[in-house]
Amino acid sequence: MSISNESILKDIENLEEYLVATRRYLHENPELSGKEFKTSNFLKDEVKKLNLPLVEVEGTGFYAILDTGKPGKTLGLRTDIDALPIVEKESNQKSIRLCKSNVDGVFHACGHDGHMATLLGAMKVLVAHKDNLRGKIIFIYEEGEETGCGIDKMVDALKKENLDAVYGEHLAAFLPTGKIAVDGGPVMAGNGIVDFTVRGKGGHGSRPDLSISPIFAATNIINGLSSAWVNRVDVRKTVTLGLGLINGGKIANVIPDEVRVAGTLRYFDTDEGKKALELVKKVGSLTAEAHECEFIANDIRHDNEPVINDESLARIAQDSINDLMPGSLYKDMTWFASETFAGYANLCPTVFAFVGTKNPEVGSGAEHHNEYFDIDEESISLGATAMVKFANEFLNAN
């Protein structure tokens, strides 16, 4: 009992027009996190065409169930569905885009349009070959991955499904089209939120001595963190500090009352990441005190856990890729971005694959969350193929 390699490859080939058309529709009609109403309805309509039971989750997320009627394991296959508040450029890295967002300032700048098309395509193939499978498949459509607003609700809803594993994919702009990476162990970083305000005493720029400048205090906090990172963070457990916001003052000759600083930390070791967050608080509060300023921690906390692939599931995925698509497997790939996919590890073992979508010939390869970001549409078929093959091997394994 199994789906043959020939059937998988042929079925995905027959779906290529559907995959591309679906991705383009979703790209042209993006919606922000927690507001994916039309997107969710479109996806649900596709599920209903296959007569699959559909389970609503609070918000815009949902999941569908394929029950083969034969005893076996339960596998989750997941996609995210939201876009980003980014203005899309008319061109990618090479030429005018094949399709463009119709919504001003909203853009699928991370590949979630391709992820949705991938899962829909895989779902069609797996439903068609239901008789060649055992157990159940849960097709997961997660709301708001970019802001994290949907993961807790989805995980809570899925508790009753008794999942044995969850498999996910992410199109990767840093990996060439035709390559897939699915190593065991940590593959995506956990992250911490850093957002603080330094409050001093504003005044006229002509008499800074009559003010207490939060600008100098904030500057010294940032410099202090730079040296603290060198001396206090374990060099064997990398923690990155990426500050992306400094906001204080409006005109040159007025010293402001306060300055806000914000950014993120990324790490593969959660304990070291949490230690670094405490370091931000300590350096910030003591440095502010030295400048007779107040340090206000607006939001300093651990957010997402690292994505850590189960070793045995990673081996199944690797063997599947080598069997069906020889030469496609790429080894030793990690990504310092963060993903809510880590949340599914609270339910069961998980595995997350990177599907290459970098192709200079079509202009794809710009960084994720970048105005020039684009995908190579050929990578959608590759992702759907890998997903179907993994499901087949996992569910039909002895």
Side-chain angles (χ1 to χ4, degrees):
M1 179 183 295
S2 185
I3 311 174
S4 69
N5 286 349
E6 292 76 14
S7 292
I8 295 174
L9 293 171
K10 182 178 179 181
D11 286 0
I12 296 296
E13 183 181 1
N14 291 338
L15 282 172
E16 283 183 1
E17 288 187 12
Y18 170 82
L19 294 172
V20 171
T22 299
R23 178 262 164 172
R24 292 185 183 182
Y25 169 79
L26 292 164
H27 188 89
E28 291 167 355
N29 297 278
E31 294 177 292
L32 295 175
S33 306
K35 300 178 180 179
E36 312 97 323
F37 304 112
K38 293 179 181 178
T39 302
S40 184
N41 287 335
F42 170 82
L43 296 169
K44 289 173 184 175
D45 286 343
E46 293 301 296
V47 169
K48 290 172 184 176
K49 291 175 185 177
L50 299 174
N51 297 313
L52 295 179
L54 191 151
V55 179
E56 301 272 5
V57 176
E58 180 188 354
T60 58
F62 69 96
Y63 63 89
I65 304 171
L66 170 59
D67 189 344
T68 68
K70 296 179 282 292
K73 292 172 284 190
T74 299
L75 171 65
L77 300 177
R78 175 265 198 176
T79 184
D80 32 26
I81 67 175
D82 54 335
L84 286 153
I86 295 174
V87 177
E88 181 181 22
K89 288 289 188 182
E90 291 286 343
S91 301
N92 58 27
Q93 288 189 318
K94 182 181 180 182
S95 58
I96 298 296
R97 296 176 181 275
L98 294 173
C99 63
K100 189 174 183 295
S101 171
N102 293 327
V103 184
D104 290 340
V106 184
F107 169 31
H108 272 295
C110 200
H112 297 187
D113 49 346
H115 300 170
M116 289 182 275
T118 294
L119 185 57
L120 289 175
M123 184 172 65
K124 283 179 174 288
V125 175
L126 292 164
V127 169
H129 290 279
K130 173 182 174 180
D131 293 342
N132 297 109
L133 298 167
R134 298 186 180 94
K136 294 181 182 179
I137 302 177
I138 310 295
F139 300 99
I140 303 166
Y141 296 86
E142 180 192 326
E143 169 194 6
E145 186 278 329
E146 296 293 353
T147 64
C149 68
I151 182 63
D152 291 340
K153 293 179 285 189
M154 182 61 74
V155 168
D156 188 59
L158 287 169
K159 287 177 181 177
K160 62 180 178 290
E161 302 299 342
N162 298 315
L163 288 155
D164 294 292
V166 176
Y167 171 95
E169 293 179 351
H170 205 301
L171 292 173
F174 48 82
L175 193 62
T177 299
K179 297 294 183 182
I180 304 178
V182 57
D183 297 291
V187 293
M188 292 189 75
N191 76 295
I193 305 298
V194 173
D195 187 334
F196 61 85
T197 296
V198 181
R199 182 171 294 155
K201 178 184 176 183
H204 197 282
S206 65
R207 287 296 303 271
D209 57 305
L210 299 179
S211 302
I212 301 174
S213 175
I215 292 177
F216 284 117
T219 301
N220 278 278
I221 290 170
I222 293 169
N223 288 334
L225 289 174
S226 298
S227 60
W229 240 244
V230 173
N231 295 300
R232 301 290 301 280
V233 175
D234 192 328
V235 295
R236 299 164 299 177
K237 301 174 182 178
T238 301
V239 179
T240 65
L241 171 63
L243 298 178
L245 182 152
I246 302 177
N247 190 352
K250 294 181 180 179
I251 56 177
N253 68 338
V254 176
I255 296 169
D257 286 316
E258 58 186 40
V259 173
R260 181 182 168 213
V261 179
T264 62
L265 310 187
R266 306 298 169 123
Y267 39 82
F268 290 100
D269 184 289
T270 298
D271 289 339
E272 196 67 16
K274 289 180 178 179
K275 186 180 88 173
L277 287 165
E278 291 302 313
L279 195 58
V280 172
K281 295 177 186 177
K282 187 172 184 178
V283 170
S285 60
L286 292 177
T287 305
E289 183 181 356
H291 284 262
E292 297 185 354
C293 287
E294 181 184 2
F295 177 83
I296 303 163
N298 303 322
D299 190 6
I300 299 178
R301 60 183 168 84
H302 171 65
D303 192 15
N304 288 323
E305 292 289 332
V307 176
I308 301 175
N309 281 347
D310 178 81
E311 296 284 354
S312 61
L313 292 177
R315 282 193 294 272
I316 293 172
Q318 291 168 0
D319 291 344
S320 298
I321 293 164
N322 283 330
D323 180 52
L324 184 58
M325 298 172 284
S328 297
L329 190 65
Y330 193 99
K331 298 288 289 181
D332 300 324
M333 175 63 70
T334 55
W335 189 11
F336 266 87
S338 300
E339 242 280 359
T340 60
F341 186 81
Y344 296 103
N346 293 312
L347 296 171
C348 60
T350 61
V351 63
F352 201 58
F354 301 139
V355 178
T357 193
K358 180 179 182 179
N359 184 351
E361 293 300 313
V362 301
S364 60
E367 286 285 340
H368 296 257
H369 296 208
N370 182 289
E371 57 195 356
Y372 291 98
F373 177 85
D374 202 357
I375 68 170
D376 179 358
E377 291 178 330
E378 290 188 11
S379 61
I380 302 172
S381 295
L382 185 68
T385 301
M387 186 175 285
V388 171
K389 178 65 173 177
F390 178 86
N392 180 66
E393 299 303 312
F394 178 78
L395 292 173
N396 290 330
N398 294 327

